[in-house]
Amino acid sequence: MIGLVSATVAGAAARDRLAAAWPERTRVYDGPVGDAVRRAFAECEQLVCFLATGAVVRLVAPLLDDKRTDPGVVCVDEAGRFAVPLVGGHGGGANDLARAVGEVLGAEPVVTTATDAVGLAGLDTLGLPVEGDIAGVSRALLDGEPVALRAEVAWPLPPLPVADEGAYVIRVTDRLVEPAAREAVLRPPSLVVGVGASRNAPADEVLGLVEGALRDAGLSPASLAEIATVDAKAGEPGIVAAAERLGVPLVTYPAEELARVDVPNPSDAPLAAVGTPSVAEASALVRGGELLVPKRKSAMATCAVVRRPGRGRLAVVGLGPGARDLLTPRAKAELRRASVLVGLDQYVDQIRDLLRPGTRILESGLGAEEERARTAVAEARRGRAVALIGSGDAGVYAMASPALAEASDDIDVIGVPGVTAALAAGAILGAPLGHDHVSISLSDLHTPWEVIERRVRAAAEADIVVTFYNPRSRGRDWQLPKALAILAGHREPTTPVGVVRNASRADESSRLTTLAALDPATVDMMTVVTVGNTATREIAGRMVTPRGYRWQEEPK
Ligand code: SAH
């Protein structure tokens, strides 16, 4: 819950706008502000105070306890121009809250946490438990001192500006280690404990068995990702309680699936009871990994520990047609999430300033598509977080399909859509895509011309609006006239044609012409050409394909 506190009329107005935007997540605290702040601080995970920072500092200071548990506090000024995370920037989520409040109120978030301000991922914002010298290592990263990364477990971390050697160390491990001086230990959720138990096995016994197995194997409970068992034990109180106390989800699998897992220590008892010769080992191993602790038993329970390899992450990100404000926030977030960026050099240039320090950039020139696809997938398979970029939408005549054709199911793939050229051009021209439309690439580099021609013919016959991508290059100049001639066989010479070059880029230009008047020589590879259907009209200088609304029909 987010507690809202205000003192003045203007503050109350802004407070009410926020409360209206987030009715489920906010609660208004009325009355004297001191009292209201104290109550909200005690009851809420976060506070937004429509008060001067000075006032809030004085009110909150005596309440502060621990930055890991204190609520995040954001101040919004009287005029609603700024949202200032005051305390709990990371742990309390105040930085993110200030950004979200800023979106609702049109206020500028004023983030002063060092790592956020310079675009570094704070060690405590990576989504992984972290121990040791967090402050010292973060400071070293900020100051540009060499920090070494020692990853004992491959994990798709966001970018960190690390070196091979350094006085400071970030260690990524699931092993039970005491962080050394100047060392921060990141705990990847790499461990799975499979658990089996007889009916009514006590929670303490299950918990003791699991904790003992981890401790004896020198493994950290902070790296525990889940407790796994068979479906039939989903409600077994001892297992449920143990998972709860360990703070991890309980994940269950069907007995038939577990029965197929090859395990070192099968036995007859569980086969008779739940239909699989192994519960602990099989449920820990069912999604793959390395068995670190084979089956162990207590009086009423069994457990086994597996290390699952970190799954790499491949984000296939569309950058949009060019303009920065046509790059989606999600695309931006994925670019900053990736530690490896793969793309065509000219696209990398388009977003280089957005990348976080420490991002490894693998850029290549035109024509290296196959190599880019392979590289991106190979990097993800090494357990890294990779972004593969493309202009417009990365799935439209671009990198998504060659990359996914290479990718096996051992990586996670995240697709981020982008504004494709046909849409960017359509918005400039008017509303040419108001009815059924297709995109056709005229590049016969990878597609035989007969195939392209057959598709153009089909679109012509079906009276579909057509946008041509890759319409014409120096070496490929006869395809566009040929395609237009096919369309002209089914459409009037006066059919509107929109030509848009460099949509949304600095040297954007567009023209509205007709099938008869279009001069193909004015078209190049930076251009898309949209040909209307038989209903498309030029209205007030804009290209409009009617949707066929009845209310727009001429009265009889
Ligand atoms: N994935 C891209 C398309 C790649 S094919 C997308 O979704 O937009 C390359 C072709 O796209 C170019 O030859 C051109 O026809 C078209 N194109 C891409 N960006 C463009 C832009 N900003 N303006 C006009 N055409 C563009």
Side-chain angles (χ1 to χ4, degrees):
M1 193 52 69
I2 304 171
L4 307 181
V5 181
S6 64
T8 62
V9 175
R15 173 199 71 189
D16 291 345
R17 276 166 61 207
L18 199 60
W22 300 339
E24 310 283 314
R25 295 166 51 201
T26 52
R27 184 185 304 151
V28 171
Y29 285 80
D30 280 324
V33 286
D35 225 37
V37 166
R38 279 185 286 274
R39 278 187 292 131
F41 198 91
E43 293 168 14
C44 298
E45 290 83 56
Q46 295 181 318
L47 271 70
V48 180
C49 300
F50 299 84
L51 301 168
T53 50
V56 181
V57 166
R58 282 175 208 288
L59 289 168
V60 163
L63 311 174
L64 294 176
D65 176 26
D66 185 326
K67 73 173 182 180
R68 282 169 302 187
T69 49
D70 285 337
V73 179
V74 171
C75 287
V76 176
D77 65 299
E78 183 79 356
R81 285 169 56 212
F82 303 105
V84 187
L86 204 59
V87 292
H90 291 161
N95 289 348
D96 290 337
L97 178 62
R99 292 188 191 100
V101 167
E103 296 260 308
V104 174
L105 300 179
E108 177 82 16
V110 184
V111 174
T112 58
T113 327
T115 46
D116 284 52
V118 301
L120 270 174
L123 283 181
D124 50 349
T125 64
L126 301 181
L128 303 184
V130 52
E131 299 160 19
D133 189 7
I134 304 167
V137 174
S138 297
R139 167 73 23 221
L141 287 171
L142 282 176
D143 291 348
E145 285 187 47
V147 176
L149 181 68
R150 308 246 158 83
E152 292 164 27
V153 180
W155 210 259
L157 297 172
L160 292 164
V162 287
D164 290 336
E165 290 300 325
Y168 290 85
V169 174
I170 298 172
R171 189 165 170 191
V172 185
T173 183
D174 53 21
R175 291 190 307 117
L176 209 48
V177 291
E178 255 321 299
R182 302 179 167 200
E183 181 177 82
V185 176
L186 285 174
R187 298 296 189 186
S190 49
L191 303 176
V192 180
V193 178
V195 174
S198 314
R199 185 167 316 162
N200 293 326
D204 283 337
E205 181 183 329
V206 176
L207 194 64
L209 183 68
V210 172
E211 286 176 338
L214 290 172
R215 193 176 47 241
D216 294 352
L219 297 168
S220 168
S223 275
L224 187 59
E226 67 187 44
I227 297 287
T229 189
V230 65
D231 280 349
K233 293 289 175 186
E236 184 60 46
I239 301 182
V240 173
E244 220 161 58
R245 272 150 68 182
L246 288 161
V248 295
L250 173 62
V251 180
T252 68
Y253 300 95
E256 314 85 77
E257 198 178 342
L258 298 185
R260 288 194 294 271
V261 180
D262 200 17
V263 298
N265 301 295
S267 70
D268 292 336
L271 185 59
V274 288
T276 163
S278 165
V279 173
E281 288 182 346
S283 58
L285 278 169
V286 65
R287 292 287 177 267
E290 177 193 358
L291 186 63
L292 301 180
V293 181
K295 183 166 75 176
R296 286 184 151 212
K297 286 192 235 183
S298 62
M300 298 180 75
T302 56
C303 86
V305 185
V306 161
R307 177 183 289 141
R308 281 186 192 161
R311 280 173 73 82
R313 204 171 179 281
L314 175 63
V316 187
V317 181
L319 301 181
R324 178 54 58 85
D325 58 356
L326 290 179
L327 175 81
T328 66
R330 190 180 298 185
K332 204 181 283 182
E334 285 296 342
L335 294 175
R336 297 168 66 79
R337 170 70 182 80
S339 68
V340 182
L341 184 89
V342 182
L344 184 67
D345 40 19
Q346 70 195 65
Y347 299 153
V348 175
D349 287 339
Q350 206 176 310
I351 45 87
R352 204 180 293 272
D353 62 301
L354 291 175
L355 302 177
R356 281 186 149 143
T359 310
R360 200 149 55 87
I361 300 174
L362 305 176
E363 47 194 322
S364 45
L366 263 175
E369 280 74 27
E370 198 178 322
E371 180 207 317
R372 274 198 293 281
R374 290 239 162 84
T375 304
V377 171
E379 290 288 330
R381 293 189 72 184
R382 278 185 207 118
R384 302 196 171 115
V386 181
L388 175 61
I389 58 172
S391 85
D393 184 276
V396 177
Y397 310 123
M399 294 308 296
S401 40
L404 298 202
E406 297 286 325
S408 37
D409 68 358
D410 55 352
I411 59 171
D412 293 327
V413 175
I414 294 102
V416 182
V419 177
T420 187
L423 299 184
I428 292 164
L429 293 168
L433 310 182
H435 213 292
D436 300 332
H437 54 276
V438 289
S439 293
I440 297 179
S441 167
L442 291 184
S443 168
D444 53 1
L445 221 56
H446 304 289
T447 310
W449 175 252
E450 301 76 71
V451 173
I452 299 173
E453 190 174 316
R454 179 149 51 86
R455 291 175 185 176
V456 175
R457 211 172 285 290
E461 283 164 8
D463 196 27
I464 296 174
V465 175
V466 183
T467 301
F468 292 116
Y469 282 67
N470 302 307
R472 184 172 178 275
S473 68
R474 233 171 284 146
R476 272 190 317 103
D477 55 5
W478 56 265
Q479 288 85 348
L480 179 62
K482 178 91 211 224
L484 292 172
I486 295 170
L487 291 174
H490 298 262
R491 298 176 196 184
E492 295 294 328
T494 54
T495 302
V497 175
V499 179
V500 178
R501 186 167 190 276
N502 280 326
S504 92
R505 297 178 189 147
D507 44 356
E508 169 185 307
S509 63
S510 70
R511 255 170 317 126
L512 195 48
T513 172
T514 63
L515 258 184
L518 173 68
D519 175 7
T522 61
V523 172
D524 66 8
M525 279 297 273
M526 322 289 221
T527 311
V528 281
V529 177
T530 298
V531 182
N533 66 12
T534 53
T536 305
R537 296 284 170 268
E538 182 184 329
I539 298 172
R542 303 184 190 102
M543 184 172 173
V544 180
T545 302
R547 175 81 175 79
Y549 293 110
R550 302 256 164 136
W551 46 266
Q552 285 188 334
E553 273 172 17
E554 301 286 333
K556 299 242 153 61

